[in-house]
Amino acid sequence: MNETMLRDEVLIDKSGAVGVVRINRPQALNALSFSVMEKLVAALEMYDQDAAVGCLLLTGSERAFAAGADIKELEAATPVEMALSGRMELWDRLRRLRKPLVGAVSGFALGGGCELAMCCDMIVASETAVFGQPETDIGTIPGAGGTQRLTRAVGKAVAMEMILAGRRLGAREALALGLVNRVVPSESFFEEALALAAAVAAKPAVAVRLAKEAVVRAGDLSLEEGLAFERKLFYLTFASADQKEGMKAFREKRRPAFTGS
Ligand code: HXC
């Protein structure tokens, strides 16, 4: 790691071509206050714009990825404040990140923490990771995509049980249900996620960006529309220097020298 900057509750750190954003509010198990969310989203957007960064990595601590929205901050909120504060629009900005986002998740990923994990394109989970949507216990419902993304990820039956009956998924169950990509020892979850992010960051940037866009859209489009969209992006890759270099290097039996263009 080089270049470390402290932004109080959110730490940013560039590791090679990976932009690392770490939630750092241990006294509240990384509860996602408005201020934490604002900093976290701004940090991810900053790396999304940074030409030297090829992949984003979001993590918390070993004990908690994030234990949800900050309940103490929300307790007295009114619907009008919630609607006008811009709080929820922060989540829309996460969806617009163009570079791949890897989640390194250990410990609690509850409520908004589970929703934040599901905003990641891939998740490396420590064996201690626990995913849950306990919002109904405190009289509300998942509000940052939990009812939609969880249902798409694990299916209706398990999503209903998690949201209505408080079922939590351990890391292995989450893996079996396709919610996470891999489960690794808690001592090495961050390094494993960083290695995955670094592997993505080493790939040609244009192809990676377009591939992410195509897979993200697969959740919204009909097969017919999705295939047409994919084909247009496929054609577009042939405008990139890295496509020419990648195929030339294959033919010449050498390692490609990608430029990210
Ligand atoms: C505010 C929180 C918090 C949260 C934990 N803390 N979770 N503060 N909001 N979501 C604080 C506690 O108040 C406590 O501080 C400290 O973190 C340690 O937590 P403990 O409860 O003492 O730890 P433990 O007994 O180990 O229990 C861990 C836990 C529990 C199971 C994760 O903290 C818990 O149930 N947290 C709430 C989980 C939850 O309901 N999340 C969904 C929130 S609603 P103090 O100073 O009090 O000792 C949501 C909606 C999202 O996420 C909508 C979109 C934005």
Side-chain angles (χ1 to χ4, degrees):
M1 296 272 171
N2 45 42
E3 184 202 328
T4 305
M5 268 174 68
L6 183 67
R7 290 188 163 203
D8 55 272
E9 305 151 320
V10 171
L11 306 176
I12 63 170
D13 197 351
K14 219 190 280 184
S15 174
V18 178
V20 180
V21 176
R22 183 187 299 275
I23 311 164
N24 180 45
R25 208 185 158 209
Q27 71 282 9
L29 299 182
N30 287 343
L32 302 167
S33 62
F34 193 0
S35 121
V36 165
M37 278 301 294
E38 275 184 317
K39 290 171 189 160
L40 180 161
V41 171
L44 288 170
E45 284 177 338
M46 182 190 72
Y47 284 139
D48 201 41
Q49 298 294 327
D50 183 337
V53 167
C55 190
L56 314 172
L57 178 56
L58 177 62
T59 194
S61 67
E62 196 176 329
R63 184 164 178 227
F65 178 69
D70 189 319
I71 299 169
K72 295 165 192 172
E73 194 179 76
L74 289 183
E75 185 183 348
T78 68
V80 172
E81 278 163 19
M82 292 292 282
L84 298 186
S85 64
R87 175 189 290 274
M88 302 311 293
E89 282 70 15
L90 290 167
W91 294 83
D92 302 333
R93 284 161 56 188
L94 288 176
R95 195 159 182 257
R96 289 198 287 272
L97 293 170
R98 292 170 305 167
K99 290 175 185 163
L101 173 60
V102 174
V105 177
S106 183
F108 298 112
L110 300 177
C114 186
E115 291 171 308
L116 186 62
M118 289 190 291
C119 287
C120 297
D121 299 308
M122 293 177 274
I123 299 175
V124 174
S126 105
E127 55 206 354
T128 63
V130 177
F131 299 86
Q133 298 285 171
E135 287 91 340
T136 54
D137 286 340
I138 52 170
T140 185
I141 70 169
T147 62
Q148 306 303 302
R149 289 200 181 93
L150 189 62
T151 307
R152 284 167 169 77
V154 303
K156 177 185 158 190
V158 175
M160 283 287 191
E161 197 177 344
M162 291 174 71
I163 292 164
L164 301 180
R167 176 171 166 192
R168 289 180 181 181
L169 297 182
R172 301 249 161 239
E173 280 180 298
L175 180 67
L177 288 161
L179 185 62
V180 307
N181 291 72
R182 65 184 74 152
V183 179
V184 299
S186 53
E187 311 85 70
S188 60
F189 80 98
F190 179 74
E191 285 69 26
E192 296 269 357
L194 186 59
L196 176 62
V200 173
K203 289 186 175 292
V206 175
V208 164
R209 183 172 299 188
L210 297 179
K212 167 171 169 164
E213 194 179 346
V215 176
V216 167
R217 292 296 295 277
D220 297 332
L221 300 177
S222 68
L223 183 60
E224 189 71 24
E225 293 165 324
L227 292 172
F229 183 68
E230 178 193 80
R231 190 156 308 168
K232 296 223 162 42
L233 297 187
F234 172 66
Y235 293 152
L236 189 53
T237 62
F238 288 81
S240 73
D242 285 346
Q243 174 270 327
K244 299 292 177 250
E245 166 63 9
M247 294 194 182
K248 186 163 182 259
F250 176 81
R251 182 169 46 75
E252 294 174 350
K253 300 188 187 300
R254 61 172 173 80
R255 287 171 67 86
F258 293 125
T259 58
S261 58

